[in-house]
Amino acid sequence: ADVKTTHKVQKGETLFTLSKLYGKSVDELREMNNLKDSKIFLGQEIIVEKPVEIVQQDRKSTRLNSSHR
């Protein structure tokens, strides 16, 4: 299963404040959440991290490559 890191939108938060909080660009957050614009609402679950599994696969492949010698 895809394990995504999500953030529940609190009062006063915007995609801009979340982008600063998680070190992502507003565009990245919009893309990850398939948002048409930058409007988010209270209580909305926003994906702030890509699935961890993908990151681990990347690490494995680099490890294999480096131990090739």
Side-chain angles (χ1 to χ4, degrees):
D2 277 358
V3 181
K4 296 187 177 80
T5 305
T6 58
H7 174 94
K8 201 167 197 168
V9 179
Q10 308 295 312
K11 193 176 180 188
E13 287 181 330
T14 63
L15 272 188
F16 182 73
T17 59
L18 294 185
S19 74
K20 292 278 168 268
L21 196 61
Y22 292 99
K24 303 266 176 225
S25 71
V26 170
D27 286 342
E28 277 180 301
L29 290 176
R30 280 178 51 191
E31 204 174 294
M32 281 192 272
N33 291 279
N34 297 315
L35 300 172
K36 306 255 184 298
D37 52 36
S38 298
K39 288 193 191 87
I40 56 174
F41 52 88
L42 197 61
Q44 186 173 356
E45 293 273 347
I46 295 291
I47 298 162
V48 291
E49 234 359 297
K50 290 187 173 75
V52 174
E53 291 166 39
I54 293 170
V55 176
Q56 287 172 343
Q57 282 170 358
D58 288 349
R59 279 203 199 112
K60 276 182 204 147
S61 62
T62 53
R63 206 177 289 138
L64 288 174
N65 295 343
S66 59
S67 64
H68 227 320
R69 292 178 186 179

